[in-house]
Amino acid sequence: MSDITDLFGKLTVADAADAASASLVDSVKKSDAIKSGLSENVLSLAALCSAGDDSAVAALSTVAALAALGAVAEPYIKCCLPAALAAVSSKNRNVSAAAKKAAMAIAENVTPFAMKGLLPSIFASLPVEVNWATRSVALNMIATFGKSSPKQLGNALPLVVPELTACMWDTKKQVKIASTNAMKAALDVIGNKDIEHMTANILKAITTPKEVPEIMHKMAGVTFVQSVESPALAMVVPLLLRGLREKTTSTKRQAAVIIDNMSKLVDDPLDAAPFLPLLLPALEINANAISDPEARSITDRAVEQLKRLKSLADKAFSVRGDTSKLEAVFKEELPGDEISSGASTAISHAAIVATTMMDLHFMEDSQWAKLIAVTLSPYCANIDETKAVVEKVRVKAEGMLEVPEEEDEDDDLEELCNCKFTLAYGTKILLHNTKMKLKRGMRYGLLGGNDSGKTTLMRAISNNQVEGFPDTSQVRTVFVEADIQGEMSHLSCIDYIMIDPKIQAIAIKREEVVKILATVGFTDDGKAKPNHAVSTLSGGWRMKLALARAMLQNADILLLDEPTNHLDVINVAWVKNYLNSLTNVTSIIVSHDSGLLNDCCTHILQIENLKLNMFKGNLDEFVKLKPSAKAYFSFKESKIRFDFPQPGPIEGVKSKGKALMKMSKCTFTYPVNDTPTLFDISVQVSLSSRVACVGENGAGKSTMIKLLVGEIEPQTGDVWKHPNARVAYVAQHAFHHIESHLDKTPNEYIRWRYANNGEDKESLVKVSLQFTEAELKLQRTPYEIQFVDEASGKINKIKKVVGELVGGRKINKAKEYEYEVKYAGSNIDSGEYLALKILKKMGWDKAIKSVDMKIAQRAGLYVRPLSSKNVEAHLEGCGLNREFGTHYRMSALSGGQKVKVVLAAAMWNQPHILILDEPTNYLDREALGALAGAIDRYDGGVVMITHNNEFCSQLCPETWVMDAGHLETKGDADWMLNQDSKISEQKQITEVTDAAGNVSKVKGQKKKMSKKEEKQMVKRIKNLLKIGEPLNSDEEEFAIDKDLI
């Protein structure tokens, strides 16, 4: 001991300092910290580091050399770090240089798991009152940890980031640069791939506040897949706090949305606990201060989510490494009754290393022996005793990491599955780090809201895509659904089952298939015959066919998607009895049949907040706990509602039964075919039409609709549309409109699309509006036009060529349309109008249709001005929440949400006819109910192509059945005539709201006067004009129309 005291004394003598330093380092290296005396006398070395003269240089150089020895000396020399950092600011250049070298040597050589033990000394050197040189070196040490201890730095980010953020605003250039570099190093170790690409933006947000709104917009488009842990939160929370404090409501709102979304992905509530005191008060201030009701409701939602997270954090069982607990365990397990000061220092250091290993889940015995034994070995008799001590501590530490589980009443049953997994569909996270435990013989009802992922989960289980779920070859899993592919519908029921790969894999014989089919009702003399094609089966028999196929596979787990769809009462009872008889088979059932879930289920699985929660008991028991679950089974209980804009009146149409679109004797053949796709088709559509177009794949349904809307042109026959009718057509593949506008929000897209006075920029370039060569030749041929000279009354004739239709249209005295034209060779508009019949003879028929279409589209703009607020309300009416409609770019939307955008865009100009091609392909049951309700309330005509009989049978009394190009109409043939109610009986629009929120009254459609009433009005107006009385607007309009003024 006296030897090391002598060496410390020689460090103060210039000539002997270097030799003394070398001897001290060599002594520690050859023996250990105890035998060399370092462990008990290191404070003397720290005091020498603070001397400020040449002796300090020698002491600091000794510290740097000891740091290079690694774990042997690091528990002790870290107490020299505060002195070394303070000495960096010394005016003595030699002392400053030696101090900087010593501090950086400690940072560069520290064991990664011991890095956290240096942070208190580093943080103590960062306050603004500390000299800038000291602060810069302390910040450089943190930057060094990014390379030497990346995982450990990531674990410490909740402590590190606030300190770095404060330094990045420092006025001293050196401090600002060092802190920025340290923050970059910290951003590189957050360990969350979802936001790795955002790190540069997060850094920019700290240094450039004006960029925060744009960065928040980008952040809102991030799809989080990974669990959100404390390192990611440490980086994002400063940005979110800035967003919450921005002046603009939209940025505050986006911050609230991101907080709400991210907090749902926090698996361990304790990860979020340090940040809740920062975020929750800021959110609550905004919830009370924001004036926009919608943004306020979003903020309220985020507040509730954080309060939920806080309550979970308060109840959570902490498995974080606790240094005080570990120190107590080390002291208990180390031999000897008394703990020396050196041993106490070693134990504190070992506890820091051990707790960091616990937090990062490094719990292998070999890892602990390697990293901790070197620190404790001087205090044990030999290496074996040291390893034994470390292992005892490790085992107790493992016990600290275990979360006590609740007792399970079904523990005696065989466990088929006990896994933890994440499930996504496209870019949408459906379930995140959720647990699922299934026992043999139990029947689980699977419930969840709109787009929650019920069917996706079952399909993923069936396809071996759920992490941790037993392989389907070990636990035989069968997915039962009645969705029969079109290419298989021609097969007989027996062959349909026989070609299934799973049936072939277990070598089921044909006789066995026939036998099982007979047990569910497929017999030669029954309603469903086993040798008849699958296409002949109704929906109910298709489900029974799927159940028969599942029965043949002797499943361990049955996954049933709506097993009672289309079944009558007798067959529903059969399904219930069958499921209840499967005492050795586990079932997961998705159904909107509350009777089935009550009579069969032993447990309920609910998807909520990205988690799968299990409840014991049937549906009634579950509803007692969660009354909101009623919405899963009744459209009336559902919160989802679509509302389409009403079409309004059409000039010249007085009856809802009057045809607005017609096809007459149309035949169409595609250029590549010899045989026509459609033969002699005649249909008509009116405001009262509710038509379902059904038929097999390839029957010609979509082709007929394309003819009707003018996308293609028939070889024979006529297609006609009322000039004032607006038609919305949502095709099967309608995404191409929005694919080039993915950087716009849906709200921005619709306003861009209709910005030109209500004209639709995305109107398809229809073949029916393209001029043929014959029509172009006719247009170039001079046509004799008659006109009356107003001065002389003489009729003149002149041959002219029309250059183009300008776009104007009016009604002449004969109640026929005239169109404004510009003659060839003229540089100015003529202001002249030509009658419809004349222009058709001149080859301008298609241009007339184009003008009619533009005028009809502009007419829709009057009732609803193209304001952001109006578009937002319209998108909500079509099922797209304003969160996604106004605040998300379309690139971040799911496929189903994009379909709602397309539907909303088509419906914006208030069409009189809505044509939907396979709407049931896009929407789930809940959304279909909302769509059905919207169609039922819609005053316009509807034509839909669908294979969903349940959907169309509720809405469509008339059916167009397409079969190999031939059309047959079914249902109430006189239905449209029966609906021949007067337009005047429709609910009229009485007011409109402009972009500024001003409400103005709208005149209703005028009732047509009788001849007697007209005569009386003419007489009254003439009297008013005679005595000089002013006319009101209606009287003035009537007087102009009758040439009275």
Side-chain angles (χ1 to χ4, degrees):
M1 200 71 69
S2 61
D3 290 341
I4 197 167
T5 305
D6 292 341
L7 290 174
F8 284 160
K10 290 179 181 179
L11 289 176
T12 63
V13 180
D15 294 339
D18 290 344
S21 176
S23 296
L24 197 154
V25 173
D26 191 52
S27 174
V28 174
K29 185 176 181 181
K30 288 180 178 178
S31 53
D32 56 43
I34 292 179
K35 294 173 184 176
S36 66
L38 178 66
S39 62
E40 301 298 330
N41 295 277
V42 71
L43 292 178
S44 298
L45 180 61
L48 287 173
C49 291
S50 302
D53 53 19
D54 289 342
S55 62
V57 175
L60 290 164
S61 298
T62 302
V63 170
L66 288 170
L69 297 179
V72 174
E74 73 181 15
Y76 313 102
I77 62 164
K78 69 181 181 184
C79 71
C80 298
L81 182 58
L85 285 169
V88 171
S89 303
S90 173
K91 295 180 179 179
N92 185 321
R93 291 187 178 181
N94 293 332
V95 172
S96 178
K100 181 177 180 181
K101 184 178 179 181
M104 294 307 298
I106 292 173
E108 290 165 359
N109 293 287
V110 70
T111 302
F113 288 97
M115 179 273 298
K116 193 183 284 187
L118 302 180
L119 293 180
S121 300
I122 293 173
F123 293 162
S125 302
L126 293 180
V128 70
E129 58 267 18
V130 177
N131 185 275
W132 67 266
T134 294
R135 299 173 71 200
S136 297
V137 172
L139 291 165
N140 290 338
M141 290 179 71
I142 295 174
T144 299
F145 298 148
K147 294 179 180 178
S148 63
S149 317
K151 290 183 179 178
Q152 294 78 6
L153 178 60
N155 184 53
L157 284 184
L159 303 173
V160 172
V161 169
E163 301 287 344
L164 295 182
T165 304
C167 292
M168 289 179 72
W169 283 91
D170 201 85
T171 55
K172 198 70 177 177
K173 182 180 178 182
Q174 292 89 337
V175 174
K176 198 168 187 177
I177 292 172
S179 59
T180 301
N181 290 335
M183 185 65 87
K184 286 179 181 177
L187 285 165
D188 288 339
V189 300
I190 56 177
N192 190 302
K193 294 181 180 178
D194 299 329
I195 57 174
E196 278 180 352
H197 68 287
M198 289 291 297
T199 53
N201 288 313
I202 293 171
L203 190 65
K204 188 188 292 184
I206 297 171
T207 57
T208 316
K210 66 180 181 181
E211 296 289 337
V212 168
E214 179 59 24
I215 293 169
M216 292 297 296
H217 206 86
K218 292 177 181 177
M219 195 75 182
V222 173
T223 301
F224 288 92
V225 179
Q226 280 186 257
S227 296
V228 175
E229 298 174 336
S230 55
L233 286 169
M235 281 301 174
V236 175
V237 164
L239 172 62
L240 295 175
L241 284 171
R242 284 190 175 277
L244 291 172
R245 292 163 184 164
E246 280 289 310
K247 291 182 179 179
T248 58
T249 299
S250 61
T251 304
K252 290 180 179 179
R253 183 190 180 285
Q254 278 180 326
V257 170
I258 296 168
I259 291 169
D260 185 38
N261 291 338
M262 286 188 70
S263 61
K264 291 175 182 176
L265 297 178
V266 174
D267 288 332
D268 185 354
L270 294 174
D271 276 339
F275 307 103
L276 295 176
L278 299 173
L279 292 175
L280 199 49
L283 273 173
E284 288 175 330
I285 289 170
N286 285 357
N288 294 322
I290 293 175
S291 58
D292 182 357
E294 191 271 341
R296 194 166 59 245
S297 69
I298 294 294
T299 307
D300 283 333
R301 189 175 70 192
V303 168
E304 290 305 311
Q305 176 64 16
L306 285 197
K307 285 182 177 177
R308 185 186 71 84
L309 200 59
K310 185 178 183 301
S311 68
L312 292 174
D314 292 341
K315 299 173 187 174
F317 181 85
S318 177
V319 293
R320 299 294 173 86
D322 187 329
T323 53
S324 62
K325 290 181 180 179
L326 265 291
E327 283 181 14
V329 175
F330 275 118
K331 288 176 181 178
E332 183 183 327
E333 298 298 338
L334 270 177
D337 296 328
E338 293 186 10
I339 303 293
S340 65
S341 62
S344 181
T345 301
I347 287 172
S348 297
H349 182 78
I352 290 171
V353 174
T355 52
T356 305
M357 294 180 77
M358 290 171 68
D359 290 344
L360 295 174
H361 306 292
F362 282 76
M363 297 303 296
E364 293 292 327
D365 52 359
S366 59
Q367 294 169 333
W368 278 57
K370 178 183 176 182
L371 293 168
I372 299 176
V374 66
T375 301
L376 299 179
S377 59
Y379 305 97
C380 297
N382 52 54
I383 189 62
D384 290 334
E385 186 180 61
T386 305
K387 288 183 177 179
V389 169
V390 172
E391 180 59 15
K392 287 178 182 178
V393 175
R394 188 193 68 80
V395 171
K396 289 185 177 180
E398 273 192 330
M400 295 177 187
L401 292 175
E402 293 178 2
V403 178
E405 290 191 4
E406 296 180 6
E407 293 185 9
D408 190 346
E409 296 177 8
D410 302 321
D411 275 343
D412 55 329
L413 297 176
E414 179 189 351
E415 190 173 86
L416 294 180
C417 158
N418 189 354
C419 60
K420 190 174 184 180
F421 64 95
T422 291
L423 180 69
Y425 181 78
T427 60
K428 182 178 181 181
I429 304 301
L430 302 171
L431 291 165
H432 188 267
N433 274 10
T434 192
K435 292 181 179 179
M436 179 166 61
K437 183 188 289 188
L438 302 177
K439 295 293 184 77
R440 185 175 289 280
M442 297 293 100
R443 295 175 294 279
Y444 301 89
L446 180 58
L447 305 182
N450 191 35
D451 294 329
S452 62
K454 302 182 293 294
T455 302
T456 303
L457 172 60
M458 295 205 297
R459 202 181 299 279
I461 293 173
S462 176
N463 294 336
N464 280 331
Q465 293 171 335
V466 172
E467 183 182 355
F469 197 93
D471 190 276
T472 51
S473 61
Q474 299 170 352
V475 177
R476 193 171 289 171
T477 306
V478 179
F479 185 27
V480 183
E481 58 176 343
D483 185 18
I484 294 170
Q485 301 298 322
E487 60 267 22
M488 298 182 184
S489 60
H490 67 285
L491 298 172
S492 71
C493 297
I494 297 172
D495 290 336
Y496 174 74
I497 291 179
M498 291 298 296
I499 67 164
D500 186 278
K502 292 183 178 179
I503 296 293
Q504 292 178 353
I506 55 179
I508 297 289
K509 294 182 180 179
R510 192 177 185 88
E511 295 75 21
E512 183 68 15
V513 173
V514 173
K515 182 180 176 182
I516 291 295
L517 281 172
T519 64
V520 297
F522 287 84
T523 59
D524 290 330
D525 58 350
K527 290 182 179 179
K529 298 174 174 57
N531 290 302
H532 280 198
V534 172
S535 59
T536 64
L537 300 179
S538 67
W541 283 103
R542 290 189 181 200
M543 179 53 76
K544 294 187 79 173
L545 180 64
L547 281 168
R549 182 176 59 181
M551 292 164 67
L552 285 160
Q553 296 178 55
N554 298 319
D556 293 305
I557 299 176
L558 274 179
L559 308 169
L560 300 115
D561 190 6
E562 298 288 356
T564 58
N565 262 9
H566 311 297
L567 297 183
D568 56 27
V569 176
I570 296 173
N571 282 318
V572 168
W574 178 87
V575 170
K576 291 178 182 178
N577 291 333
Y578 172 69
L579 291 175
N580 288 330
S581 69
L582 300 175
T583 55
N584 206 37
V585 177
T586 299
S587 305
I588 301 179
I589 307 163
V590 171
S591 177
H592 288 85
D593 184 343
S594 56
L596 176 73
L597 298 181
N598 265 328
D599 295 341
C600 295
C601 290
T602 59
H603 296 76
I604 296 296
L605 295 170
Q606 185 195 25
I607 298 175
E608 187 176 41
N609 288 325
L610 308 184
K611 299 295 181 185
L612 195 60
N613 304 307
M614 184 183 294
F615 300 84
K616 192 172 178 65
N618 64 6
L619 179 64
D620 281 346
E621 295 299 316
F622 174 65
V623 169
K624 288 177 185 176
L625 295 172
K626 296 254 185 173
S628 59
K630 291 178 183 177
Y632 297 143
F633 308 99
S634 170
F635 288 148
K636 294 180 181 178
E637 296 282 349
S638 175
K639 296 178 182 178
I640 297 178
R641 176 186 168 100
F642 293 1
D643 282 300
F644 293 156
Q646 297 301 343
I650 306 179
E651 187 179 352
V653 176
K654 307 301 180 186
S655 166
K656 291 188 72 174
K658 184 174 180 179
L660 299 181
M661 304 177 79
K662 285 182 184 179
M663 287 172 57
S664 178
K665 299 185 180 300
C666 290
T667 296
F668 177 80
T669 308
Y670 280 104
V672 294
N673 295 343
D674 296 326
T675 306
T677 302
L678 299 175
F679 299 87
D680 196 34
I681 303 294
S682 296
V683 295
Q684 70 177 40
V685 184
S686 72
L687 282 170
S688 60
S689 290
R690 291 289 188 278
V691 181
C693 185
V694 299
E696 296 180 357
N697 290 336
K701 304 184 298 296
S702 294
T703 303
M704 182 186 72
I705 294 302
K706 287 178 180 178
L707 274 179
L708 185 63
V709 299
E711 279 199 20
I712 55 178
E713 210 170 16
Q715 281 81 22
T716 62
D718 297 316
V719 179
W720 173 85
K721 180 179 78 70
H722 192 285
N724 293 325
R726 296 184 293 275
V727 179
Y729 173 44
V730 180
Q732 277 183 310
H733 308 289
F735 290 162
H736 66 276
H737 284 321
I738 64 174
E739 289 303 325
S740 58
H741 302 282
L742 295 179
D743 59 338
K744 294 183 176 73
T745 66
N747 195 313
E748 290 168 345
Y749 167 68
I750 290 178
R751 285 186 284 128
W752 167 86
R753 180 167 165 174
Y754 290 96
N756 189 21
N757 293 321
E759 292 178 14
D760 186 358
K761 292 179 185 175
E762 295 282 13
S763 291
L764 293 172
V765 181
K766 299 180 176 67
V767 172
S768 58
L769 296 182
Q770 304 303 303
F771 296 124
T772 63
E773 285 297 326
E775 287 169 334
L776 289 171
K777 183 178 179 182
L778 194 59
Q779 290 171 12
R780 291 192 290 265
T781 304
Y783 186 85
E784 187 177 87
I785 299 170
Q786 294 183 358
F787 63 93
V788 179
D789 188 298
E790 293 183 3
S792 63
K794 183 180 178 182
I795 297 176
N796 296 319
K797 296 180 180 180
I798 187 171
K799 287 189 175 183
K800 288 191 175 185
V801 174
V802 172
E804 63 176 305
L805 268 61
V806 177
R809 188 184 71 182
K810 68 179 184 179
I811 299 177
N812 60 24
K813 291 184 178 181
K815 302 300 181 184
E816 293 177 347
Y817 282 125
E818 293 183 349
Y819 295 83
E820 188 177 3
V821 298
K822 181 178 179 181
Y823 291 112
S826 173
N827 293 324
I828 58 171
D829 295 344
S830 66
E832 293 187 25
Y833 287 77
L834 290 180
L836 173 69
K837 293 178 181 178
I838 294 174
L839 286 169
K840 282 186 175 182
K841 291 177 183 178
M842 297 174 74
W844 290 97
D845 187 24
K846 290 176 180 176
I848 290 169
K849 291 180 179 178
S850 180
V851 171
D852 289 339
M853 182 177 68
K854 289 180 179 180
I855 292 173
Q857 288 173 351
R858 286 199 296 267
L861 183 66
Y862 169 64
V863 179
R864 275 189 316 176
L866 193 65
S867 67
S868 178
K869 187 175 181 179
N870 284 341
V871 173
E872 186 177 84
H874 172 70
L875 284 163
E876 284 197 317
C878 293
L880 191 67
N881 186 282
R882 67 181 62 186
E883 172 66 33
F884 301 102
T886 302
H887 303 283
Y888 270 60
R889 291 174 180 170
M890 289 192 288
S891 57
L893 300 185
S894 68
Q897 289 168 331
K898 287 179 181 176
V899 170
K900 291 175 182 176
V901 175
V902 173
L903 178 62
M907 293 296 293
W908 170 256
N909 64 1
Q910 299 161 273
H912 300 100
I913 305 294
L914 172 61
I915 300 177
L916 301 169
D917 196 345
E918 290 291 1
T920 54
N921 283 356
Y922 313 135
L923 304 171
D924 62 16
R925 183 180 179 87
E926 211 169 357
L928 274 179
L931 178 62
I935 290 174
D936 190 49
R937 295 185 295 273
Y938 178 56
D939 283 342
V942 179
V943 178
M944 65 180 78
I945 297 176
T946 180
H947 291 103
N948 189 323
N949 181 62
E950 181 187 10
F951 179 69
C952 68
S953 61
Q954 297 177 14
L955 297 168
C956 304
E958 183 181 0
T959 305
W960 297 344
V961 182
M962 290 296 299
D963 185 11
H966 296 276
L967 179 68
E968 179 186 0
T969 59
K970 291 185 176 181
D972 187 355
D974 296 324
W975 181 72
M976 282 198 293
L977 296 177
N978 295 338
Q979 289 291 314
D980 194 17
S981 56
K982 295 294 182 182
I983 294 292
S984 58
E985 294 174 13
Q986 281 183 252
K987 184 179 178 181
Q988 297 293 311
I989 297 166
T990 58
E991 59 183 33
V992 297
T993 305
D994 65 16
N998 301 311
V999 178
S1000 57
K1001 299 296 180 182
V1002 176
K1003 296 176 184 177
Q1005 192 176 19
K1006 295 178 184 177
K1007 183 181 176 182
K1008 188 176 180 180
M1009 294 182 180
S1010 65
K1011 289 186 178 180
K1012 183 177 180 181
E1013 288 171 333
E1014 279 191 9
K1015 286 183 179 179
Q1016 290 174 344
M1017 178 63 86
V1018 168
K1019 185 176 180 182
R1020 195 165 78 85
I1021 288 175
K1022 283 182 177 179
N1023 288 334
L1024 289 172
L1025 292 172
K1026 187 176 181 180
I1027 61 176
E1029 285 289 328
L1031 305 179
N1032 63 34
S1033 57
D1034 288 338
E1035 292 167 341
E1036 187 176 2
E1037 188 178 337
F1038 181 85
I1040 292 171
D1041 190 45
K1042 296 298 180 181
D1043 294 329
L1044 298 179
I1045 55 175

